[in-house]
Amino acid sequence: MKAVRFHEFGDPEVLQYEDVEQPTPGDEETLVAVTASAFNPADNSIRAGNLRAIPIALSHTPGYDVAGTVDGRPVIGFLPMDKDGAAAEYVVAPTSALVDAPRSIDLADAAGLPSVALTAYQGLVDHAGLTAGQRILITGAGGTVGHYAVQLAARAGAHVIATASPSSRDAVAAAGAAEVIDHTSTDVVAAVGEQVDVVYNLAPSTPEEMAAYLGLVRDGGVIVTTTAWLPAPSDEARGVRGITEFVRPDAAQLTALVELLDAGELTLAPTRRVALADLASVHAEAAAGTLRGKVVVLP
């Protein structure tokens, strides 16, 4: 079969489109015929060797989100990040990680759902414990995780304040944000004014910005961040918790997200499709900081 692999850490040029043996599933594993995988920022960091906390073996096939078929059954899943991924024609997946794919969208586009939607769900539900009537600040809401976080927070009945650039402002408002702050021209902390119960940080931030967010949180509140390189601060005296989120596979949660999507209560983030043979160009965009939106990769 065809697959993209890298045999050493480095720049996007280390990615090779090549012939490899089709994998064989073991116990409690399933062979998936890949319709699409998805690119995530962590793929760029793993390939560059900047995310050694995820212990991959070389040679490595990236792509830990998958949409495909198993004996004709459409499925999606979030694969273990330390195993070979779905940037290939076939991938072996833990059977427990696979769920029925959404019926309301193209199967290829559904590859863009699992890890980012689960990140938003786990950040808001598992870590923040967000409830109706609470105020939440979501930074970096114009990104793909933010697309789901704003929708889920609004659906939970929270008052959503979101930061976004002018180019994504309208989309963030349409997703359910009650207030949208242009972080490119506005002092976010000053614009928020009244304290919030939750800060959900999805944007690259400085230690000074994180300290300022901490001051925005009410006593007993929480900061959740996805920036593993800059852990969330806490304030024990005020009972403010700081949580650094690491997303995990959860089939029950992913099934719930699929059901929301099919019921029209959640919308899919816009996706761009590229061919598997062109995956290195996507990594190059990410490395240059010019990649925008969600990319799904078709073998």
Side-chain angles (χ1 to χ4, degrees), residues 5 9 74 100 115 201 240:
R5 298 196 298 175
F9 297 110
D100 289 335
S115 66
N201 181 57
V240 177

Side-chain angles (χ1 to χ4, degrees), residues 203-231:
S205 303
T206 65
E208 292 76 19
E209 287 172 328
M210 291 291 274
Y213 296 152
L214 181 63
L216 275 178
V217 180
R218 290 175 177 152
D219 292 2
V222 60
I223 296 180
V224 181
T225 185
T226 58
T227 56
W229 60 91
L230 182 62

Side-chain angles (χ1 to χ4, degrees), residues 85-103:
E89 293 180 317
Y90 292 89
V91 67
V92 165
T95 303
S96 61
L98 301 173
V99 306
D100 289 335
R103 302 181 304 276

Side-chain angles (χ1 to χ4, degrees), residues 12 39-41 43-45 47 272 280-292:
F39 174 84
N40 290 288
D43 288 315
N44 183 62
S45 297
R47 184 218 69 247
R272 170 164 64 101
S281 68
V282 179
H283 278 249
E285 287 183 59
T290 59
L291 183 67
R292 298 291 180 266

